[in-house]
Amino acid sequence: MLATTERVEILDTANKIANMIINSVEADFYRHCLDRLMNSKETQRKISAFVKIKELYEEVQRFGKYHPEYKTVMKSIRELKREMDMDEYVAEFRKAENELQSILDEVSILIGRSVSEQIKVPTGNPFFDSLSSCGGGCGTGGSCGCS
């Protein structure tokens, strides 16, 4: 019974942390940027054009430079990707997304390290990954020196 009560308390605290993140300035900014991104017809046009050419790009990649439209598709995908990346709303959204992800990464690392320095916490962020535990796990001769 004690383990179940303790587990419920842990999950309750996790929900409180999640709500704090949801109600943070960074999460508000993220939702604002997402709304602007989704409601901009011009931005959506750029994204759609890129997605469409990306599908053609994947087909061309199967045949490589021997595909009859290789050069055209390669040039088009670079141009459309740049156009999409330079869009004000796309850039703003990516910045907001990275800021929110940074908070999630930091929380994950704090929790993981509180349990043990050897806990692996996947962050998707190379900066945080280099700070977390063994490079290859125990017994592999990794950077932790525990081989």
Side-chain angles (χ1 to χ4, degrees), residues 64-77:
K65 64 183 179 182
Y66 301 108
H67 191 282
E69 295 182 48
Y70 178 79
K71 287 184 181 181
T72 306
V73 170
M74 296 304 284
K75 182 181 179 196
S76 294
I77 197 161

Side-chain angles (χ1 to χ4, degrees), residues 15-141:
N15 280 327
K16 288 177 185 173
I17 293 170
N19 283 327
M20 290 173 69
I21 294 170
I22 288 167
N23 294 313
S24 70
V25 171
E26 291 82 0
D28 283 341
F29 184 61
Y30 170 83
R31 287 187 294 272
H32 168 75
C33 293
L34 178 60
D35 185 56
R36 287 175 53 161
L37 176 93
M38 299 303 285
N39 291 313
S40 167
K41 289 182 180 173
E42 181 61 16
T43 300
Q44 289 302 308
R45 181 199 61 76
K46 291 174 186 177
I47 292 170
S48 293
F50 176 73
V51 169
K52 187 176 179 182
I53 195 73
K54 187 177 172 197
E55 291 170 3
L56 186 56
Y57 169 81
E58 289 169 1
E59 179 185 320
V60 166
Q61 285 301 103
R62 292 187 326 187
F63 299 100
K65 64 183 179 182
Y66 301 108
H67 191 282
E69 295 182 48
Y70 178 79
K71 287 184 181 181
T72 306
V73 170
M74 296 304 284
K75 182 181 179 196
S76 294
I77 197 161
R78 284 191 302 273
E79 290 171 351
L80 291 172
K81 172 120 174 64
R82 178 166 170 71
E83 183 181 358
M84 182 184 69
D85 288 345
M86 297 301 291
D87 183 272
E88 170 188 3
Y89 297 134
V90 170
E92 185 179 59
F93 173 74
R94 286 190 176 149
K95 182 179 179 210
E97 186 177 44
N98 288 337
E99 288 174 7
L100 187 56
Q101 185 64 51
S102 179
I103 291 172
L104 296 170
D105 292 345
E106 289 177 43
V107 168
S108 295
I109 286 178
L110 283 171
I111 293 170
R113 284 204 173 151
S114 295
V115 174
S116 169
E117 284 291 324
Q118 282 69 43
I119 294 287
K120 291 184 181 180
V121 181
T123 62
N125 183 332
F127 173 75
F128 289 120
D129 288 344
S130 67
L131 296 176
S132 65
S133 75
C134 309
C138 295
T140 63

